[in-house]
Amino acid sequence: RDNPYTTPVLKEVVADSYQRLIAPAIERELRNELTEKAEDESIKVFKKNLQQLLMQPPIVGKVVLGWDPAFRTGCKLAVVDETGKVLDTVVIYPTAPTTPAKIASAKEILKKLNKIIVGKEAVLEKTLMAILSRGHILLDDVPGVGKTTLALACSKVLGLDYHRIQFTPDVVPSDIIGFSMYNKESGTFEYKPGVVMTNLLLADEINRTSSKTQSALLEVMEEGQVTVDGETHELPKPFVVLATQNPVGSAGTQLLPQAQLDRFMIRMEMGYPDFQSQVNILRDRQTENPLDKAEQVTSTDEILEMQDEVTQIYIEDKILEYVTSLAMNTREQEMIRLGVSPRGALAVTRLAKARAYVQGRDYVTPEDVQKVFLDVCAHRIILNPKAKIAALSASDVLIEVLKQTKSPDNGR
């Protein structure tokens, strides 16, 4: 009755509902999800307060308990009438929900980036999400839409060291990972770092170099290190590869092998700006370049802290089962020859955590998974001839997979 989360309708719940329905579910979920806190005083107080709340004069109606994954330390109650119509809902927490310390920094980063890259809020958000989840980004779009500007803006606003390499047919692996050079004075070979020794590497037009050179990034992207002449060298942290591809003009290009595509957490397109955004771009760049006024929001140490906070975002087992079902359904879908790998499923969960973080939450919902699924998985699957005959894209097929897979929140 003194609980700030209570409402008038919930104070008039059927008296025996607690013993019949609520108590067993709470005991089960507290045991499964909050085992380490099962004996905490806060849990005991929560159960006592809930019981008092429900022991009120009966009315027509009933209470149903849903253990919503959005409420990691509490439960969501709903009162429904005889027709099933929801009369009221409430969330009850045994303890106050927590918020990661650096979430405000994520909001500020996006605010500063939006001043430089106009009209591309969704692209900027996904880029930040990939960086915070320790992923790599592949931008696949036509020239002149701001791919290089995006990389520069991220390096300035996030306070990251930045290197750029223009891939051409004559670029060799040693240009990327470095090489050993003999020092006559010391009589030893010394390692000369390659372009990857940075925080943010812009690999421009990665499809215009040889497969041998492309493969030099495999160890770099997966393990965060390079091996030259049997010696391993750690890369600076954080480390992100932002690669670009130009789909227009395929002469002299080499398609990325599937093994390397799988190393990119997301692939996305920038797209053309809308009418008003294009006008704003033209106006803002008449006398100055917005990049020159980019304001640094974070340091590398703060980005590492934010990455650690993202890893601590709570994800319910039901969400993990949902991601697993989505991945397995891609392997069984009649239009798909090669489905999403376990690495791809892991990438979905990591990016879903980052989306929750950027949205200001410390828990993952099914919507987070649905919002990142296409960007994470479209470049990881291979369609069969049947899909090509039907003129279906990878995104079209994955949208159908989403529709056919049962979601924890609404059953579809």
Side-chain angles (χ1 to χ4, degrees):
R1 281 151 287 189
D2 298 325
N3 191 322
Y5 296 109
T6 61
T7 61
V9 174
L10 283 174
K11 290 182 179 180
E12 300 176 329
V13 177
V14 181
D16 66 345
S17 292
Y18 180 83
Q19 294 299 331
R20 271 193 313 105
L21 179 63
I22 305 298
I26 289 177
E27 292 286 355
R28 182 177 66 255
E29 297 298 341
L30 287 179
R31 184 171 58 253
N32 292 345
E33 305 299 334
L34 299 170
T35 303
E36 71 281 4
K37 297 182 179 179
E39 300 303 321
D40 286 0
E41 189 62 29
S42 60
I43 300 297
K44 297 176 182 177
V45 172
F46 166 59
K47 292 164 66 177
K48 181 180 178 181
N49 288 344
L50 182 60
Q51 186 173 18
Q52 290 176 349
L53 169 68
L54 295 174
M55 297 298 286
Q56 301 295 324
I59 61 168
V60 175
K62 62 180 179 178
V63 63
V64 293
L65 173 67
W67 192 261
D68 194 317
F71 308 109
R72 56 178 288 190
T73 54
C75 65
K76 184 177 183 180
L77 298 175
V79 178
V80 298
D81 62 18
E82 292 176 321
T83 66
K85 179 182 178 181
V86 176
L87 302 177
D88 204 352
T89 61
V90 67
V91 179
I92 300 179
Y93 294 96
T95 56
T98 58
T99 301
K102 295 291 183 180
I103 277 183
S105 297
K107 301 288 186 185
E108 187 64 19
I109 289 170
L110 290 174
K111 180 180 177 181
K112 299 298 184 186
L113 288 175
N114 276 303
K115 292 181 179 180
I116 304 170
I117 310 292
V118 180
K120 295 298 174 184
E121 291 82 1
V123 172
L124 295 175
E125 185 176 272
K126 291 173 185 177
T127 301
L128 179 60
M129 286 157 44
I131 293 172
L132 295 182
S133 54
R134 298 184 174 92
H136 305 290
I137 305 153
L138 179 60
L139 292 175
D140 195 349
D141 215 330
V142 297
V145 293
K147 301 186 293 294
T148 303
T149 304
L150 172 60
L152 281 167
C154 288
S155 68
K156 289 177 177 289
V157 174
L158 276 65
L160 303 176
D161 185 37
Y162 167 80
H163 286 171
R164 177 182 184 273
I165 181 169
Q166 179 67 47
F167 280 99
T168 56
D170 59 347
V171 173
V172 295
S174 59
D175 295 329
I176 300 171
I177 64 175
F179 56 92
S180 297
M181 178 176 286
Y182 182 72
N183 187 324
K184 186 167 62 174
E185 294 181 0
S186 64
T188 60
F189 283 91
E190 295 179 353
Y191 172 65
K192 300 297 181 182
V195 72
V196 295
M197 288 297 172
T198 187
N199 297 128
L200 178 59
L201 173 64
L202 173 60
D204 210 1
E205 295 193 286
I206 191 173
N207 59 330
R208 293 201 176 275
T209 193
S210 67
S211 298
K212 180 179 180 181
T213 303
Q214 290 172 355
S215 66
L217 285 170
L218 291 176
E219 180 186 13
V220 172
M221 295 171 67
E222 184 67 17
E223 301 175 34
Q225 64 184 30
V226 296
T227 302
V228 178
D229 294 334
E231 292 188 10
T232 299
H233 306 274
E234 295 289 331
L235 297 179
K237 294 181 180 179
F239 175 73
V240 180
V241 174
L242 197 159
T244 70
Q245 284 192 139
N246 177 8
V248 178
S250 58
T253 62
Q254 296 281 344
L255 291 176
L256 287 174
Q258 195 65 28
Q260 188 157 355
L261 279 175
D262 204 40
R263 268 131 169 123
F264 286 99
M265 177 168 281
I266 59 172
R267 182 176 70 176
M268 56 184 177
E269 299 176 356
M270 295 274 300
Y272 289 117
D274 58 33
F275 183 86
Q276 189 56 51
S277 296
Q278 179 72 79
V279 171
N280 293 338
I281 291 170
L282 297 177
R283 182 190 303 115
D284 295 343
R285 286 159 175 76
Q286 289 301 309
T287 58
E288 60 186 12
N289 185 349
L291 274 172
D292 297 335
K293 291 188 175 182
E295 301 176 33
Q296 182 176 332
V297 176
T298 58
S299 64
T300 54
D301 289 339
E302 288 174 309
I303 293 298
L304 290 173
E305 289 179 34
M306 294 171 74
Q307 289 179 337
D308 290 339
E309 287 185 346
V310 167
T311 62
Q312 299 303 314
I313 295 294
Y314 178 76
I315 185 164
E316 164 81 16
D317 276 353
K318 292 178 182 177
I319 304 292
L320 298 178
E321 292 169 2
Y322 180 45
V323 174
T324 301
S325 296
L326 286 170
M328 295 189 70
N329 287 347
T330 65
R331 302 166 197 167
E332 300 169 359
Q333 223 279 348
E334 62 176 357
M335 297 290 185
I336 298 177
R337 180 161 63 89
L338 179 67
V340 175
S341 65
R343 183 192 285 131
L346 282 169
V348 170
T349 60
R350 287 164 55 194
L351 201 63
K353 283 185 173 185
R355 183 181 188 273
Y357 184 88
V358 170
Q359 295 290 320
R361 288 181 275 107
D362 66 343
Y363 54 86
V364 175
T365 66
E367 183 184 8
D368 294 323
V369 173
Q370 294 156 7
K371 290 293 185 181
V372 305
F373 185 66
L374 297 186
D375 292 311
V376 173
C377 298
H379 63 287
R380 300 174 190 272
I381 66 172
I382 298 178
L383 301 179
N384 60 24
K386 187 185 296 186
K388 295 177 181 178
I389 292 173
L392 294 175
S393 67
S395 295
D396 294 332
V397 176
L398 290 177
I399 288 172
E400 192 61 31
V401 171
L402 279 172
K403 291 179 180 178
Q404 295 173 353
T405 305
K406 183 178 179 182
S407 170
D409 55 354
N410 59 13
R412 274 287 172 192

